[in-house]
Amino acid sequence: MGYLYLTLAIIAEVIGTTALKASEGFSKPLPSVLVVLGYCAAFYFLSLVLKTIPVGIAYAIWAGMGIVLMAIVGILFFDQTIDFPAVIGLLLIISGVVVINIFSKSVGR
């Protein structure tokens, strides 16, 4: 269940961060409410993750995948562009998450 909760925490965090951008400084009510709900859900699910996955590993995966997904959301929904060094950096983050999940004995299973 740890990885299911981690996935839900990541998705909720991405929703909250996307809504944060859309809230335009909390001047729009609906996105502002989504920010609060998204972050509350993210931390709730992350708290459940920490019952089975060590905090350092869980946070590395959560933060890393959140960065990558927010870059994708920025490209798709906010008309942002990324240059080649940013692509390389994102690929390194993904590689780090893969290495942690495949090779680390610290990951709770």
Side-chain angles (χ1 to χ4, degrees):
M1 288 300 285
Y3 279 99
L4 172 63
Y5 292 142
L6 185 54
T7 300
L8 293 173
I10 292 165
I11 291 168
E13 188 265 335
V14 169
I15 290 169
T17 304
T18 302
L20 185 61
K21 168 74 171 148
S23 77
E24 296 182 12
F26 291 102
S27 64
K28 294 187 175 183
L30 180 60
S32 297
V33 170
L34 286 175
V35 171
V36 174
L37 293 176
Y39 284 126
C40 285
F43 284 110
Y44 171 72
F45 287 118
L46 188 60
S47 75
L48 298 178
V49 169
L50 299 181
K51 293 180 180 181
T52 58
I53 298 175
V55 66
I57 300 298
Y59 192 77
I61 295 168
W62 182 58
M65 293 312 299
I67 290 166
V68 170
L69 290 174
M70 278 313 305
I72 293 168
V73 166
I75 292 165
L76 295 176
F77 297 104
F78 298 116
D79 207 26
Q80 297 172 349
T81 59
I82 58 173
D83 58 12
F84 185 70
V87 171
I88 297 299
L90 292 169
L91 290 173
L92 288 170
I93 292 170
I94 293 168
S95 299
V97 170
V98 170
V99 167
I100 288 170
N101 281 292
I102 293 176
F103 299 109
S104 177
K105 296 194 184 335
S106 299
V107 177
R109 301 217 190 266

